[in-house]
Amino acid sequence: MTETPTPSHYDGLLAAMPASVAGGAAVGWALAVPVLVGMAAGSLLAGLLLTVSILLVPPQ
């Protein structure tokens, strides 16, 4: 029987990046905000997560 590896901090950051862009698009689609604006906000959050993952918590 093989065990499933435990997700790391980096796996969470990698999952959060596209989720923030998709969430921004969903907010833009659901509310009275243009989808492009929602995606731009999600992309800024994804960029912030990328910066955190590279500069503040570098891979070991």
Side-chain angles (χ1 to χ4, degrees), residues 1-59:
M1 176 179 275
T2 60
E3 292 187 27
T4 306
T6 305
S8 70
H9 180 75
Y10 306 108
D11 294 326
L13 284 170
L14 285 173
M17 289 178 204
S20 67
V21 176
V27 166
W29 181 74
L31 301 177
V33 177
V35 175
L36 187 60
V37 172
M39 289 182 69
S43 296
L44 287 174
L45 180 59
L48 178 66
L49 291 171
L50 180 67
T51 303
V52 166
S53 66
I54 290 175
L55 299 178
L56 300 179
V57 189

